[in-house]
Coordinates of all heavy atoms in Angstrom, one line a residue:
M543 N 79.9 75.3 312.8 CA 80.1 74.3 313.8 C 81.5 74.3 314.4 O 82.4 74.6 313.6 CB 79.8 72.9 313.2 CG 79.7 71.8 314.2 SD 79.7 70.2 313.5 CE 78.8 70.4 312.0
D544 N 81.6 74.1 315.7 CA 82.9 74.1 316.3 C 83.7 72.8 315.9 O 83.1 71.7 315.9 CB 82.9 74.2 317.8 CG 82.4 75.6 318.2 OD1 82.6 76.5 317.4 OD2 81.8 75.7 319.3
A545 N 84.9 72.9 315.5 CA 85.7 71.8 315.2 C 86.3 71.2 316.5 O 86.7 71.9 317.4 CB 86.8 72.2 314.3
L546 N 86.4 70.0 316.6 CA 87.1 69.2 317.7 C 88.5 69.0 317.2 O 88.8 69.3 316.0 CB 86.4 67.9 318.0 CG 84.9 68.1 318.4 CD1 84.2 66.7 318.6 CD2 84.8 68.9 319.7
D547 N 89.3 68.4 318.0 CA 90.6 68.0 317.5 C 90.7 66.5 317.3 O 89.7 65.7 317.7 CB 91.8 68.5 318.3 CG 91.9 67.9 319.7 OD1 91.5 66.8 319.8 OD2 92.5 68.6 320.6
G548 N 91.8 65.9 316.8 CA 91.9 64.5 316.5 C 91.7 63.6 317.7 O 91.5 62.4 317.5
N549 N 91.9 64.1 318.9 CA 91.8 63.2 320.0 C 90.3 62.8 320.1 O 90.1 61.7 320.8 CB 92.2 64.0 321.3 CG 93.7 64.2 321.3 OD1 94.5 63.3 321.2 ND2 94.1 65.5 321.5
A550 N 89.4 63.6 319.5 CA 88.0 63.2 319.6 C 87.7 61.9 318.9 O 86.7 61.1 319.1 CB 87.1 64.3 319.0
I551 N 88.6 61.5 317.9 CA 88.4 60.4 317.1 C 89.4 59.3 317.5 O 89.6 58.3 316.8 CB 88.4 60.6 315.6 CG1 89.7 61.3 315.2 CG2 87.1 61.4 315.2 CD1 89.8 61.4 313.7
G552 N 90.1 59.5 318.6 CA 91.1 58.5 319.0 C 90.6 57.1 319.2 O 91.2 56.1 318.8
G553 N 89.4 57.0 319.8 CA 88.8 55.7 320.0 C 88.4 55.0 318.7 O 88.6 53.9 318.5
M554 N 87.9 55.9 317.8 CA 87.5 55.3 316.5 C 88.7 54.9 315.7 O 88.7 53.9 315.0 CB 86.6 56.4 315.7 CG 86.0 55.9 314.4 SD 84.7 56.9 314.0 CE 85.3 58.6 314.2
L555 N 89.8 55.7 315.7 CA 91.0 55.4 315.0 C 91.6 54.0 315.6 O 92.0 53.2 314.8 CB 92.0 56.5 315.2 CG 91.7 57.7 314.4 CD1 92.7 58.8 314.9 CD2 92.0 57.5 312.9
H556 N 91.5 53.9 316.9 CA 92.0 52.6 317.5 C 91.2 51.5 317.0 O 91.7 50.4 316.7 CB 91.9 52.8 319.0 CG 92.7 51.7 319.7 ND1 92.3 50.5 319.9 CD2 93.9 51.8 320.4 CE1 93.2 49.8 320.5 NE2 94.2 50.6 320.8
E557 N 89.8 51.7 316.9 CA 88.9 50.6 316.4 C 89.3 50.2 315.0 O 89.4 49.0 314.6 CB 87.5 51.0 316.4 CG 86.6 50.5 317.5 CD 85.2 51.0 317.3 OE1 84.5 50.5 316.4 OE2 84.8 51.9 318.1
V558 N 89.6 51.2 314.1 CA 89.8 51.0 312.7 C 91.2 50.4 312.4 O 91.4 49.4 311.7 CB 89.7 52.3 311.9 CG1 90.1 52.1 310.5 CG2 88.2 52.7 311.9
F559 N 92.2 51.0 313.2 CA 93.6 50.6 312.8 C 94.1 49.5 313.9 O 95.2 49.0 313.6 CB 94.5 51.8 312.8 CG 94.2 52.7 311.7 CD1 93.5 53.8 311.8 CD2 94.7 52.5 310.4 CE1 93.2 54.7 310.8 CE2 94.4 53.3 309.4 CZ 93.7 54.4 309.6
G560 N 93.4 49.3 314.9 CA 93.9 48.4 315.9 C 95.0 48.8 316.8 O 95.6 48.0 317.5
T561 N 95.3 50.1 316.7 CA 96.4 50.6 317.5 C 96.2 52.1 317.7 O 95.3 52.8 317.1 CB 97.7 50.4 316.8 OG1 98.8 50.9 317.7 CG2 97.8 51.2 315.5
E562 N 96.9 52.7 318.7 CA 96.8 54.1 319.0 C 97.3 54.9 317.8 O 98.4 54.7 317.4 CB 97.6 54.4 320.2 CG 97.8 55.8 320.5 CD 96.5 56.6 320.7 OE1 95.6 56.1 321.4 OE2 96.5 57.7 320.2
M563 N 96.5 55.8 317.2 CA 96.8 56.5 316.0 C 96.9 58.0 316.2 O 97.3 58.7 315.2 CB 95.8 56.1 314.9 CG 95.9 54.7 314.4 SD 97.5 54.3 313.6 CE 97.3 55.1 312.1
T564 N 96.5 58.5 317.3 CA 96.4 60.0 317.3 C 97.8 60.6 317.2 O 98.0 61.7 316.8 CB 95.8 60.5 318.7 OG1 96.4 59.8 319.8 CG2 94.3 60.2 318.7
A565 N 98.9 59.8 317.6 CA 100.3 60.3 317.4 C 100.9 60.0 316.1 O 102.0 60.5 315.8 CB 101.1 59.8 318.5
A566 N 100.2 59.2 315.3 CA 100.7 58.9 313.9 C 100.6 60.2 313.1 O 99.8 61.1 313.3 CB 99.8 57.8 313.3
R567 N 101.6 60.3 312.2 CA 101.7 61.5 311.4 C 101.0 61.3 310.0 O 101.3 60.4 309.3 CB 103.2 61.9 311.2 CG 103.9 62.3 312.4 CD 105.3 62.5 312.1 NE 105.5 63.8 311.3 CZ 105.5 65.1 311.8 NH1 105.3 65.2 313.1 NH2 105.7 66.0 311.0
G568 N 100.1 62.2 309.7 CA 99.5 62.2 308.4 C 100.0 63.3 307.5 O 100.3 64.4 308.1
T569 N 100.1 63.1 306.2 CA 100.5 64.1 305.3 C 99.4 64.5 304.4 O 98.8 63.6 303.8 CB 101.7 63.7 304.5 OG1 102.8 63.3 305.3 CG2 102.2 64.8 303.5
C570 N 99.0 65.8 304.4 CA 97.9 66.2 303.6 C 98.2 66.1 302.2 O 99.2 66.6 301.7 CB 97.6 67.7 304.0 SG 96.3 68.5 302.9
A571 N 97.2 65.5 301.4 CA 97.5 65.3 299.9 C 97.4 66.6 299.2 O 97.8 66.7 298.1 CB 96.6 64.2 299.4
T572 N 96.7 67.6 299.8 CA 96.4 68.8 299.1 C 97.6 69.8 299.3 O 98.1 70.4 298.2 CB 95.1 69.5 299.6 OG1 94.0 68.5 299.4 CG2 94.8 70.7 298.8
C573 N 98.0 70.1 300.5 CA 99.0 71.1 300.8 C 100.3 70.5 301.2 O 101.3 71.3 301.3 CB 98.5 72.1 301.7 SG 98.4 71.6 303.4
G574 N 100.4 69.2 301.6 CA 101.6 68.6 302.0 C 102.0 68.9 303.4 O 103.1 68.4 303.9
A575 N 101.1 69.5 304.2 CA 101.4 69.7 305.6 C 101.4 68.3 306.3 O 100.5 67.5 306.0 CB 100.3 70.6 306.2
A576 N 102.3 68.1 307.2 CA 102.4 66.9 308.0 C 102.3 67.2 309.4 O 102.8 68.2 309.9 CB 103.7 66.2 307.7
G577 N 101.6 66.3 310.2 CA 101.4 66.5 311.6 C 100.7 65.3 312.2 O 100.1 64.5 311.5
P578 N 100.7 65.2 313.5 CA 100.0 64.2 314.2 C 98.5 64.3 313.9 O 97.9 65.4 313.8 CB 100.2 64.4 315.7 CG 101.3 65.5 315.8 CD 101.3 66.2 314.4
L579 N 97.9 63.1 313.8 CA 96.4 63.0 313.5 C 95.6 63.8 314.7 O 94.6 64.3 314.4 CB 95.9 61.6 313.5 CG 96.5 60.8 312.2 CD1 95.8 59.5 312.1 CD2 96.3 61.6 310.9
A580 N 96.2 63.8 315.8 CA 95.5 64.5 316.9 C 95.3 66.0 316.6 O 94.5 66.7 317.2 CB 96.4 64.4 318.2
E581 N 96.1 66.5 315.6 CA 96.0 68.0 315.4 C 95.2 68.3 314.2 O 95.1 69.4 313.8 CB 97.5 68.6 315.1 CG 98.3 68.5 316.4 CD 99.6 69.2 316.2 OE1 99.9 69.7 315.2 OE2 100.4 69.2 317.2
T582 N 94.5 67.2 313.7 CA 93.5 67.6 312.6 C 92.3 68.2 313.2 O 92.1 68.2 314.4 CB 93.0 66.3 311.8 OG1 92.5 65.4 312.8 CG2 94.2 65.6 311.1
M583 N 91.5 68.9 312.4 CA 90.2 69.5 312.8 C 89.1 68.5 312.5 O 89.0 68.0 311.4 CB 89.9 70.8 312.1 CG 91.0 71.9 312.3 SD 90.5 73.4 311.6 CE 90.3 73.1 309.9
V584 N 88.4 68.1 313.6 CA 87.4 67.0 313.4 C 86.0 67.6 313.6 O 85.7 68.3 314.4 CB 87.7 65.9 314.5 CG1 86.5 64.9 314.5 CG2 89.0 65.3 314.2
Y585 N 85.1 67.2 312.6 CA 83.7 67.5 312.6 C 82.9 66.3 312.8 O 83.0 65.4 311.9 CB 83.3 68.3 311.3 CG 84.1 69.6 311.2 CD1 85.3 69.6 310.6 CD2 83.6 70.8 311.6 CE1 86.0 70.8 310.4 CE2 84.2 72.0 311.5 CZ 85.5 72.0 310.9 OH 86.2 73.1 310.8
L586 N 82.2 66.2 313.8 CA 81.3 65.0 314.0 C 79.9 65.4 313.5 O 79.2 66.2 314.0 CB 81.2 64.7 315.5 CG 82.4 64.4 316.3 CD1 82.2 64.2 317.7 CD2 83.2 63.2 315.7
R587 N 79.5 64.8 312.3 CA 78.3 65.0 311.8 C 77.8 63.8 311.1 O 78.5 63.1 310.4 CB 78.4 66.2 310.8 CG 79.4 66.1 309.7 CD 79.1 67.0 308.6 NE 79.0 68.4 309.0 CZ 79.4 69.4 308.3 NH1 79.8 69.3 307.1 NH2 79.3 70.7 308.7
A588 N 76.4 63.5 311.3 CA 75.8 62.4 310.7 C 75.9 62.5 309.2 O 75.7 63.6 308.7 CB 74.4 62.3 311.2
P589 N 76.1 61.4 308.4 CA 76.2 60.0 309.0 C 77.7 59.7 309.3 O 78.0 58.5 309.6 CB 75.7 59.2 307.9 CG 76.1 59.9 306.6 CD 76.0 61.4 307.0
G590 N 78.6 60.7 309.1 CA 80.0 60.3 309.2 C 80.8 61.4 310.0 O 80.3 62.4 310.5
T591 N 82.1 61.1 310.1 CA 83.0 62.0 310.9 C 84.0 62.4 309.9 O 84.6 61.6 309.2 CB 83.6 61.3 312.1 OG1 82.6 60.8 313.0 CG2 84.6 62.2 312.8
V592 N 84.3 63.7 309.8 CA 85.3 64.2 308.9 C 86.4 64.9 309.6 O 86.3 65.6 310.5 CB 84.6 65.3 308.0 CG1 85.6 65.9 307.0 CG2 83.5 64.7 307.1
A593 N 87.6 64.5 309.1 CA 88.9 65.2 309.7 C 89.5 66.0 308.6 O 89.6 65.6 307.5 CB 89.8 64.1 310.2
R594 N 89.7 67.3 309.0 CA 90.3 68.2 307.9 C 91.7 68.6 308.3 O 92.0 68.8 309.5 CB 89.4 69.5 307.8 CG 88.0 69.2 307.2 CD 87.2 70.4 307.2 NE 85.9 70.2 306.5 CZ 85.7 70.4 305.2 NH1 86.7 70.8 304.4 NH2 84.6 70.1 304.6
C595 N 92.4 69.0 307.3 CA 93.8 69.5 307.4 C 93.7 70.8 308.2 O 92.9 71.7 307.8 CB 94.4 69.7 306.1 SG 96.0 70.5 306.1
R596 N 94.5 71.1 309.2 CA 94.5 72.3 310.0 C 95.1 73.5 309.2 O 94.8 74.6 309.4 CB 95.3 72.1 311.3 CG 95.1 73.2 312.3 CD 95.8 72.8 313.6 NE 94.9 71.9 314.4 CZ 93.9 72.3 315.1 NH1 93.5 73.5 315.1 NH2 93.1 71.3 315.7
V597 N 95.8 73.2 308.1 CA 96.5 74.2 307.3 C 95.6 74.7 306.2 O 95.4 75.9 306.0 CB 97.9 73.8 306.8 CG1 98.5 74.8 305.9 CG2 98.8 73.4 308.0
C598 N 95.1 73.7 305.4 CA 94.3 74.2 304.2 C 92.8 73.8 304.3 O 92.1 74.0 303.4 CB 94.9 73.6 303.0 SG 94.7 71.8 302.8
T599 N 92.4 73.1 305.4 CA 91.0 72.6 305.7 C 90.5 71.7 304.6 O 89.3 71.4 304.6 CB 90.1 73.9 305.8 OG1 89.8 74.5 304.4 CG2 90.5 75.0 306.7
S600 N 91.4 71.1 303.8 CA 90.9 70.0 303.0 C 90.6 68.8 303.8 O 91.1 68.6 304.9 CB 92.0 69.6 302.0 OG 92.2 70.6 301.0
V601 N 89.6 68.0 303.3 CA 89.3 66.8 304.0 C 90.4 65.7 303.9 O 90.8 65.4 302.8 CB 88.0 66.2 303.5 CG1 87.7 64.8 304.0 CG2 86.9 67.1 303.7
V602 N 90.9 65.2 305.0 CA 92.0 64.2 304.9 C 91.5 62.8 305.2 O 92.0 61.8 304.8 CB 93.2 64.6 305.8 CG1 93.9 65.8 305.2 CG2 92.8 64.8 307.2
M603 N 90.4 62.7 306.1 CA 89.9 61.4 306.4 C 88.4 61.5 306.6 O 87.9 62.6 307.2 CB 90.5 60.9 307.8 CG 92.0 60.6 307.8 SD 92.5 59.9 309.3 CE 92.4 61.3 310.4
V604 N 87.7 60.5 306.2 CA 86.3 60.4 306.4 C 85.9 59.1 307.0 O 86.4 58.0 306.5 CB 85.4 60.6 305.1 CG1 83.9 60.5 305.3 CG2 85.8 61.9 304.4
F605 N 85.2 59.1 308.1 CA 84.8 57.8 308.8 C 83.2 57.7 308.6 O 82.5 58.7 308.9 CB 85.1 57.9 310.2 CG 86.6 58.0 310.5 CD1 87.2 59.2 310.5 CD2 87.4 56.9 310.6 CE1 88.6 59.4 310.7 CE2 88.8 56.9 310.8 CZ 89.4 58.2 310.8
V606 N 82.8 56.6 308.2 CA 81.3 56.4 308.2 C 81.1 55.0 308.8 O 81.8 54.1 308.5 CB 80.8 56.4 306.7 CG1 79.3 56.2 306.7 CG2 81.1 57.7 306.0
K607 N 80.1 54.9 309.7 CA 79.7 53.7 310.2 C 78.6 53.1 309.4 O 77.5 53.6 309.3 CB 79.4 53.8 311.7 CG 79.4 52.6 312.5 CD 79.8 52.9 314.0 CE 80.2 51.6 314.7 NZ 80.8 51.9 316.0
V608 N 78.9 51.9 308.9 CA 77.9 51.2 308.0 C 77.6 49.8 308.7 O 78.5 49.0 308.8 CB 78.3 51.0 306.6 CG1 77.3 50.3 305.8 CG2 78.7 52.3 306.0
R609 N 76.3 49.6 309.1 CA 76.0 48.4 309.7 C 76.9 48.0 310.8 O 77.3 46.8 310.9 CB 75.8 47.3 308.7 CG 74.7 47.5 307.7 CD 74.5 46.3 306.8 NE 73.8 46.6 305.5 CZ 74.5 46.8 304.4 NH1 75.8 46.7 304.3 NH2 73.8 47.2 303.3
G610 N 77.3 48.9 311.6 CA 78.2 48.5 312.7 C 79.6 48.4 312.4 O 80.5 48.3 313.2
M611 N 80.0 48.6 311.1 CA 81.4 48.6 310.7 C 81.9 50.0 310.4 O 81.2 50.7 309.7 CB 81.5 47.7 309.4 CG 81.1 46.3 309.5 SD 82.5 45.2 309.4 CE 83.3 45.8 307.9
N612 N 83.1 50.2 310.8 CA 83.7 51.5 310.5 C 84.3 51.5 309.2 O 85.2 50.6 308.9 CB 84.8 51.8 311.6 CG 84.2 52.3 312.9 OD1 83.3 53.2 312.9 ND2 84.6 51.7 314.0
C613 N 83.9 52.4 308.3 CA 84.6 52.5 307.0 C 85.3 53.8 307.0 O 84.8 54.8 307.4 CB 83.5 52.6 305.9 SG 82.5 51.1 305.8
V614 N 86.6 53.7 306.5 CA 87.4 55.0 306.5 C 87.9 55.3 305.1 O 88.3 54.4 304.4 CB 88.6 54.7 307.5 CG1 89.4 53.5 307.2 CG2 89.4 56.0 307.6
D615 N 87.9 56.5 304.8 CA 88.3 57.0 303.5 C 89.6 57.9 303.7 O 89.4 58.9 304.4 CB 87.3 57.8 302.8 CG 87.6 58.3 301.4 OD1 88.9 58.3 301.2 OD2 86.7 58.6 300.6
L616 N 90.7 57.4 303.3 CA 91.9 58.2 303.5 C 92.5 58.8 302.3 O 93.7 59.1 302.2 CB 93.0 57.2 304.1 CG 92.7 56.5 305.4 CD1 93.8 55.5 305.8 CD2 92.4 57.4 306.6
R617 N 91.6 59.1 301.3 CA 92.1 59.6 300.0 C 92.8 61.0 300.2 O 93.6 61.4 299.4 CB 90.9 59.8 299.1 CG 90.9 58.6 298.1 CD 89.7 58.7 297.2 NE 88.4 58.7 298.0 CZ 87.2 58.8 297.4 NH1 87.1 58.9 296.1 NH2 86.2 58.7 298.2
G618 N 92.4 61.7 301.2 CA 93.0 63.0 301.5 C 94.4 63.0 302.1 O 94.9 64.1 302.2
L619 N 94.8 61.8 302.4 CA 96.2 61.7 303.0 C 97.2 61.2 301.9 O 97.0 60.2 301.3 CB 96.2 60.7 304.1 CG 95.6 61.2 305.5 CD1 95.6 60.0 306.4 CD2 96.3 62.3 306.0
A620 N 98.3 62.0 301.8 CA 99.4 61.5 300.9 C 100.2 60.4 301.5 O 100.7 59.5 301.0 CB 100.2 62.7 300.5
A621 N 100.2 60.4 302.9 CA 101.0 59.5 303.7 C 100.5 59.4 305.1 O 99.9 60.4 305.6 CB 102.5 59.9 303.7
L622 N 100.6 58.3 305.6 CA 100.2 58.1 307.0 C 101.3 57.2 307.7 O 101.6 56.1 307.3 CB 98.9 57.3 307.1 CG 98.3 57.0 308.5 CD1 98.1 58.3 309.3 CD2 97.0 56.3 308.4
T623 N 102.0 57.8 308.6 CA 103.1 57.2 309.2 C 102.9 56.9 310.7 O 102.6 57.8 311.5 CB 104.4 58.0 309.1 OG1 104.5 58.4 307.8 CG2 105.6 57.3 309.5
A624 N 102.9 55.6 311.1 CA 102.7 55.3 312.5 C 103.7 55.9 313.4 O 104.9 56.1 313.0 CB 102.7 53.7 312.7
A625 N 103.3 56.3 314.5 CA 104.3 56.9 315.5 C 105.3 55.9 315.9 O 105.0 54.7 316.0 CB 103.5 57.4 316.7
E626 N 106.5 56.4 316.1 CA 107.6 55.5 316.5 C 107.5 55.4 318.0 O 107.3 56.3 318.8 CB 108.9 56.1 316.2 CG 109.0 56.4 314.7 CD 110.2 55.9 314.0 OE1 111.1 55.4 314.7 OE2 110.2 55.9 312.7
H627 N 107.7 54.1 318.5 CA 107.6 53.8 319.9 C 109.0 53.8 320.5 O 109.9 53.2 319.9 CB 106.9 52.6 320.2 CG 105.5 52.6 319.8 ND1 104.5 53.3 320.6 CD2 104.8 52.2 318.8 CE1 103.3 53.2 320.0 NE2 103.5 52.6 318.9
G628 N 109.2 54.6 321.6 CA 110.5 54.5 322.2 C 111.4 55.5 321.6 O 112.2 55.7 320.9
Ligands
ZN1916 ZN1 96.4 70.6 303.9

């Protein structure tokens, strides 16, 4: 399956975090690579959406919609830093 990039989940991230997150920096818990969420590899597959580290392909985020609510699993992230404005 072709991977999308993190911009594909920009709308969902906004729903979950209430703010624009594609520019936020995530740190992979497996390999320590850090980069904007927009640069993760995203796989849209039922019943959830998976974002993988571009360096080591470990799962960094999992989104599952349950009864209309977005549930997010960030266990694959060692850190998540909001983008600085200005
Ligand atoms: Zn990694």
Side-chain angles (χ1 to χ4, degrees):
M543 190 191 329
D544 289 338
L546 303 172
D547 69 26
N549 293 305
I551 55 171
M554 187 158 46
L555 287 168
H556 195 286
E557 256 183 74
V558 171
F559 293 98
T561 184
E562 170 58 41
M563 290 297 285
T564 51
R567 292 177 70 81
T569 302
C570 174
T572 303
C573 74
L579 296 186
E581 290 183 5
T582 55
M583 296 189 299
V584 171
Y585 298 85
L586 304 176
R587 56 163 53 151
T591 300
V592 174
R594 289 178 176 272
C595 174
R596 191 168 284 280
V597 176
C598 71
T599 73
S600 289
V601 173
V602 289
M603 293 184 293
V604 181
F605 300 87
V606 182
K607 201 148 193 169
V608 181
R609 297 191 201 95
M611 296 248 312
N612 283 310
C613 299
V614 57
D615 182 340
L616 302 176
R617 264 178 296 181
L619 282 177
L622 181 60
T623 309
E626 308 231 349
H627 294 282

